[in-house]
Amino acid sequence: MTLAVRYTAARTLDTAPAEPSPPGPGEVELAPAYVGICGTDLHIFHGDMDARVHAPAVLGHEMSGRIVRVGPGVEGWRPGDAVTVMPLRWDDSCPACRKGHQHVCQHLDFIGIDSPGAMQQRWTVPAATLVRLPDSLALDRAALVEPTAVAVHDVGRAQVRDGEKVVVVGGGPVGILIALVARGAGAQVRVVELSAHRRLLAEELGLTAWNPADDVPALVGEWTGDAGADVAFEVSGAAGGVDTAVDVLGVRGRLCLVAIHPRPREVNLHRFFWRELTLVGARLYDRSDFEKAVALVADGTIPADRLISKVVPLAEAPSAFEALEAGGDVMKILVDCGNDPTGARA
């Protein structure tokens, strides 16, 4: 018998025994080592996604671990292999899939939301979702590959180019990752973030961070010689963040919408008209994004250890959700599922 963290009702999680499901044809059984808690997990915890999440539900999709068993017909994988999971299962038949956009399948199963996730000691998934990890990459750091893949996809959607000036509005985990990936692509980057702790972390990572209470458009004007930014990423999820992201853009600037906005927002469309701006949405990732994310975490472009605020054992996962909800000095919390033989810690 193994243990799993389950969402049972709004603001209620428990840690309960779970019977491992043996891998069937084309499946593998994993021993998750570390699982990150993200903003989507918090939305589930708040009860905001009960239309999709059917309690009791095992959460978690940012993970690293090792293969325990392989099912019939699985080739190229063996027990002991270090892996992460691209947690997407698509139907391959809807209009989006037929156009090659499987990651936004119109009937997408996001594993960890629509089906059981990784916050358990044994987890059975399709072998097709596996992404190999290098043996040199510590498993705690590898748990940040999934959010890094989000950032890689976002920067790709915005078509960030060498030398461009980029403003990231929102300096949480994904915002900082976007800033780091954009910097790795050769861009000059500024981060706009309300939290003093997160601004300090950004500065420690070599990024320039601004307080949104200051006149950010004026700061961008000074920085760019009144040309405006080439690209802005809206990662805050706030109405004010949308305004800032639009206001900082120069002629033919690109706004990449990353945050999930649960309600319609007012947008300055005259600004879009006057400066011929472009708005692009960015959701999830594809396999190439994941593979690039593995490389970026492995080579230190993404200093994953600096982004991990705390590691808690599986039994303490419910309290970790409350700590993240409270904000403060927390960036990324990992849940230790007790399956890392190296005992790695950030």
Side-chain angles (χ1 to χ4, degrees), residues 100-114:
H101 308 309
Q102 287 90 344
H103 70 291
V104 286
C105 170
Q106 290 165 231
H107 308 107
L108 186 69
D109 172 6
F110 192 107
I111 303 172
I113 299 176
D114 304 304

PDB file of all heavy atoms in Angstrom, residues 100-114:
ATOM      1  N   GLY A 100      -2.201  19.697 -36.032  1.00  0.00           N
ATOM      2  CA  GLY A 100      -0.888  19.555 -35.420  1.00  0.00           C
ATOM      3  C   GLY A 100      -0.735  20.248 -34.089  1.00  0.00           C
ATOM      4  O   GLY A 100       0.376  20.373 -33.575  1.00  0.00           O
ATOM      5  N   HIS A 101      -1.847  20.689 -33.492  1.00  0.00           N
ATOM      6  CA  HIS A 101      -1.796  21.406 -32.218  1.00  0.00           C
ATOM      7  C   HIS A 101      -2.332  20.516 -31.100  1.00  0.00           C
ATOM      8  O   HIS A 101      -3.282  20.871 -30.389  1.00  0.00           O
ATOM      9  CB  HIS A 101      -2.594  22.707 -32.306  1.00  0.00           C
ATOM     10  CG  HIS A 101      -2.227  23.571 -33.474  1.00  0.00           C
ATOM     11  ND1 HIS A 101      -0.928  23.915 -33.759  1.00  0.00           N
ATOM     12  CD2 HIS A 101      -2.997  24.157 -34.435  1.00  0.00           C
ATOM     13  CE1 HIS A 101      -0.901  24.671 -34.841  1.00  0.00           C
ATOM     14  NE2 HIS A 101      -2.137  24.833 -35.264  1.00  0.00           N
ATOM     15  N   GLN A 102      -1.712  19.349 -30.923  1.00  0.00           N
ATOM     16  CA  GLN A 102      -2.227  18.378 -29.956  1.00  0.00           C
ATOM     17  C   GLN A 102      -2.229  18.916 -28.529  1.00  0.00           C
ATOM     18  O   GLN A 102      -3.058  18.498 -27.713  1.00  0.00           O
ATOM     19  CB  GLN A 102      -1.401  17.081 -30.023  1.00  0.00           C
ATOM     20  CG  GLN A 102      -1.652  16.244 -31.263  1.00  0.00           C
ATOM     21  CD  GLN A 102      -0.728  16.598 -32.408  1.00  0.00           C
ATOM     22  OE1 GLN A 102      -0.091  17.652 -32.396  1.00  0.00           O
ATOM     23  NE2 GLN A 102      -0.630  15.720 -33.405  1.00  0.00           N
ATOM     24  N   HIS A 103      -1.313  19.837 -28.218  1.00  0.00           N
ATOM     25  CA  HIS A 103      -1.223  20.322 -26.838  1.00  0.00           C
ATOM     26  C   HIS A 103      -2.441  21.159 -26.442  1.00  0.00           C
ATOM     27  O   HIS A 103      -2.658  21.390 -25.248  1.00  0.00           O
ATOM     28  CB  HIS A 103       0.060  21.128 -26.637  1.00  0.00           C
ATOM     29  CG  HIS A 103       0.074  22.444 -27.332  1.00  0.00           C
ATOM     30  ND1 HIS A 103       0.139  22.572 -28.705  1.00  0.00           N
ATOM     31  CD2 HIS A 103       0.027  23.718 -26.850  1.00  0.00           C
ATOM     32  CE1 HIS A 103       0.131  23.836 -29.030  1.00  0.00           C
ATOM     33  NE2 HIS A 103       0.057  24.565 -27.926  1.00  0.00           N
ATOM     34  N   VAL A 104      -3.225  21.612 -27.433  1.00  0.00           N
ATOM     35  CA  VAL A 104      -4.469  22.303 -27.120  1.00  0.00           C
ATOM     36  C   VAL A 104      -5.642  21.526 -27.727  1.00  0.00           C
ATOM     37  O   VAL A 104      -6.605  22.112 -28.221  1.00  0.00           O
ATOM     38  CB  VAL A 104      -4.464  23.776 -27.592  1.00  0.00           C
ATOM     39  CG1 VAL A 104      -3.590  24.612 -26.693  1.00  0.00           C
ATOM     40  CG2 VAL A 104      -3.999  23.901 -29.040  1.00  0.00           C
ATOM     41  N   CYS A 105      -5.523  20.214 -27.662  1.00  0.00           N
ATOM     42  CA  CYS A 105      -6.606  19.319 -28.093  1.00  0.00           C
ATOM     43  C   CYS A 105      -7.936  19.789 -27.505  1.00  0.00           C
ATOM     44  O   CYS A 105      -8.015  20.215 -26.348  1.00  0.00           O
ATOM     45  CB  CYS A 105      -6.287  17.905 -27.620  1.00  0.00           C
ATOM     46  SG  CYS A 105      -7.631  16.712 -27.807  1.00  0.00           S
ATOM     47  N   GLN A 106      -8.976  19.720 -28.307  1.00  0.00           N
ATOM     48  CA  GLN A 106     -10.290  20.186 -27.849  1.00  0.00           C
ATOM     49  C   GLN A 106     -10.934  19.236 -26.846  1.00  0.00           C
ATOM     50  O   GLN A 106     -11.951  19.574 -26.237  1.00  0.00           O
ATOM     51  CB  GLN A 106     -11.189  20.419 -29.068  1.00  0.00           C
ATOM     52  CG  GLN A 106     -10.741  21.626 -29.884  1.00  0.00           C
ATOM     53  CD  GLN A 106     -11.339  21.717 -31.261  1.00  0.00           C
ATOM     54  OE1 GLN A 106     -10.644  21.886 -32.248  1.00  0.00           O
ATOM     55  NE2 GLN A 106     -12.658  21.615 -31.360  1.00  0.00           N
ATOM     56  N   HIS A 107     -10.323  18.069 -26.648  1.00  0.00           N
ATOM     57  CA  HIS A 107     -10.783  17.125 -25.628  1.00  0.00           C
ATOM     58  C   HIS A 107      -9.603  16.703 -24.756  1.00  0.00           C
ATOM     59  O   HIS A 107      -9.481  15.549 -24.370  1.00  0.00           O
ATOM     60  CB  HIS A 107     -11.435  15.902 -26.286  1.00  0.00           C
ATOM     61  CG  HIS A 107     -12.506  16.260 -27.272  1.00  0.00           C
ATOM     62  ND1 HIS A 107     -12.345  16.148 -28.635  1.00  0.00           N
ATOM     63  CD2 HIS A 107     -13.749  16.770 -27.079  1.00  0.00           C
ATOM     64  CE1 HIS A 107     -13.443  16.550 -29.252  1.00  0.00           C
ATOM     65  NE2 HIS A 107     -14.310  16.944 -28.327  1.00  0.00           N
ATOM     66  N   LEU A 108      -8.743  17.652 -24.447  1.00  0.00           N
ATOM     67  CA  LEU A 108      -7.483  17.361 -23.758  1.00  0.00           C
ATOM     68  C   LEU A 108      -7.728  16.798 -22.350  1.00  0.00           C
ATOM     69  O   LEU A 108      -8.548  17.303 -21.594  1.00  0.00           O
ATOM     70  CB  LEU A 108      -6.651  18.634 -23.649  1.00  0.00           C
ATOM     71  CG  LEU A 108      -5.234  18.466 -23.084  1.00  0.00           C
ATOM     72  CD1 LEU A 108      -4.352  17.698 -24.060  1.00  0.00           C
ATOM     73  CD2 LEU A 108      -4.625  19.833 -22.774  1.00  0.00           C
ATOM     74  N   ASP A 109      -6.983  15.746 -22.033  1.00  0.00           N
ATOM     75  CA  ASP A 109      -6.902  15.234 -20.659  1.00  0.00           C
ATOM     76  C   ASP A 109      -5.605  15.775 -20.084  1.00  0.00           C
ATOM     77  O   ASP A 109      -4.520  15.325 -20.466  1.00  0.00           O
ATOM     78  CB  ASP A 109      -6.907  13.703 -20.671  1.00  0.00           C
ATOM     79  CG  ASP A 109      -6.630  13.096 -19.294  1.00  0.00           C
ATOM     80  OD1 ASP A 109      -6.549  13.845 -18.303  1.00  0.00           O
ATOM     81  OD2 ASP A 109      -6.472  11.855 -19.220  1.00  0.00           O
ATOM     82  N   PHE A 110      -5.705  16.763 -19.209  1.00  0.00           N
ATOM     83  CA  PHE A 110      -4.519  17.268 -18.521  1.00  0.00           C
ATOM     84  C   PHE A 110      -4.342  16.403 -17.271  1.00  0.00           C
ATOM     85  O   PHE A 110      -5.106  16.502 -16.313  1.00  0.00           O
ATOM     86  CB  PHE A 110      -4.696  18.735 -18.148  1.00  0.00           C
ATOM     87  CG  PHE A 110      -3.420  19.396 -17.690  1.00  0.00           C
ATOM     88  CD1 PHE A 110      -2.764  20.300 -18.503  1.00  0.00           C
ATOM     89  CD2 PHE A 110      -2.867  19.102 -16.464  1.00  0.00           C
ATOM     90  CE1 PHE A 110      -1.586  20.907 -18.092  1.00  0.00           C
ATOM     91  CE2 PHE A 110      -1.697  19.691 -16.044  1.00  0.00           C
ATOM     92  CZ  PHE A 110      -1.048  20.603 -16.862  1.00  0.00           C
ATOM     93  N   ILE A 111      -3.322  15.574 -17.307  1.00  0.00           N
ATOM     94  CA  ILE A 111      -3.096  14.623 -16.219  1.00  0.00           C
ATOM     95  C   ILE A 111      -2.692  15.394 -14.957  1.00  0.00           C
ATOM     96  O   ILE A 111      -1.779  16.213 -14.980  1.00  0.00           O
ATOM     97  CB  ILE A 111      -2.006  13.611 -16.618  1.00  0.00           C
ATOM     98  CG1 ILE A 111      -2.397  12.897 -17.915  1.00  0.00           C
ATOM     99  CG2 ILE A 111      -1.796  12.586 -15.506  1.00  0.00           C
ATOM    100  CD1 ILE A 111      -1.296  12.024 -18.496  1.00  0.00           C
ATOM    101  N   GLY A 112      -3.381  15.130 -13.867  1.00  0.00           N
ATOM    102  CA  GLY A 112      -3.181  15.878 -12.635  1.00  0.00           C
ATOM    103  C   GLY A 112      -4.306  16.864 -12.385  1.00  0.00           C
ATOM    104  O   GLY A 112      -4.411  17.434 -11.303  1.00  0.00           O
ATOM    105  N   ILE A 113      -5.149  17.042 -13.419  1.00  0.00           N
ATOM    106  CA  ILE A 113      -6.359  17.853 -13.269  1.00  0.00           C
ATOM    107  C   ILE A 113      -7.569  17.010 -13.662  1.00  0.00           C
ATOM    108  O   ILE A 113      -8.453  16.755 -12.850  1.00  0.00           O
ATOM    109  CB  ILE A 113      -6.304  19.130 -14.134  1.00  0.00           C
ATOM    110  CG1 ILE A 113      -5.131  20.010 -13.718  1.00  0.00           C
ATOM    111  CG2 ILE A 113      -7.614  19.913 -14.012  1.00  0.00           C
ATOM    112  CD1 ILE A 113      -4.942  21.239 -14.587  1.00  0.00           C
ATOM    113  N   ASP A 114      -7.568  16.574 -14.909  1.00  0.00           N
ATOM    114  CA  ASP A 114      -8.695  15.784 -15.410  1.00  0.00           C
ATOM    115  C   ASP A 114      -8.577  14.306 -15.067  1.00  0.00           C
ATOM    116  O   ASP A 114      -9.552  13.561 -15.187  1.00  0.00           O
ATOM    117  CB  ASP A 114      -8.792  15.940 -16.937  1.00  0.00           C
ATOM    118  CG  ASP A 114      -8.904  17.401 -17.354  1.00  0.00           C
ATOM    119  OD1 ASP A 114      -9.836  18.068 -16.876  1.00  0.00           O
ATOM    120  OD2 ASP A 114      -8.056  17.870 -18.142  1.00  0.00           O
TER     121      ASP A 114
END
